[in-house]
Amino acid sequence: AWLLCEGQCESLLLRYFAELRRKPLDQIGVAVIDFQNNGSPGAFVGLARAFGIPWIMVCDNDSEGEKFIRQVKDCGLTQEECNELVRPLPGEDVNLEKFLANNGFAEEYRQILEERSVRLTTKKGETGFEDEIVSLISADKTGYTAALIEKLRAAGADESRVPQFLSTAIDDIVAKVLS
């Protein structure tokens, strides 16, 4: 099966979160594919449909994500198939970094920024705290994603740290392989 995702950060995080869930995707038979850097979602969905490969796509819920969703819909999917297989991040105008900062990882990002001598102008609990973090980590998305994973590993993170939205996507793609 294929777990299609928008970029390198999603690819790294989905593998790591699956590991925390004790569902190593590679060993189970799920390829995590960064579609943006390896083609387009439409190309992968077209191939998956032609070869009968089960798939799910996770993408940002922003203007770029909307373009990706349109590409997939143009492959001839029904609305029901889109609802089941295409998973934009929850919320309005949400990219991965915003999703993570607003779903329990702002403190780790704050620590990483501090370790890199990047000072925030807002404090935890203040209006704009998460937005400032998102703005700062967007300068090196992959680097900050790798640092987040390292920090979570060092802290002994467990599956309780996996956001429900991504946990469900992992469970659903694994179920497609095991069924």
Side-chain angles (χ1 to χ4, degrees), residues 4-6 9-11 22 31 41 75 79-80 109 139 152 155 163 167:
L4 305 173
C5 59
E6 190 167 327
C9 298
E10 290 86 350
S11 179
R22 293 176 296 286
C75 291
Q79 189 59 49
E80 184 178 311
Y109 279 132
L152 292 169
S167 185

Side-chain angles (χ1 to χ4, degrees), residues 109-110 113-114 117-136:
Y109 279 132
R110 186 202 59 75
L113 288 162
E114 186 175 284
S117 300
V118 177
R119 301 289 174 235
L120 295 167
T121 60
T122 56
K123 293 183 179 9
K124 185 176 181 177
E126 290 181 356
T127 301
F129 176 70
E130 288 85 2
D131 291 336
E132 183 178 10
I133 286 174
V134 170
S135 176
L136 291 168

Side-chain angles (χ1 to χ4, degrees), residues 5-46:
C5 59
E6 190 167 327
Q8 295 170 333
C9 298
E10 290 86 350
S11 179
L12 292 169
L13 276 169
L14 285 165
R15 284 184 175 92
Y16 174 66
F17 286 153
E19 178 186 309
L20 287 180
R21 305 267 339 278
R22 293 176 296 286
K23 295 181 179 188
L25 297 175
D26 290 339
Q27 292 175 22
I28 293 171
V30 175
V32 179
I33 299 173
D34 162 7
F35 63 73
Q36 186 172 357
N37 293 300
N38 292 297
S40 70
F44 282 105
V45 168

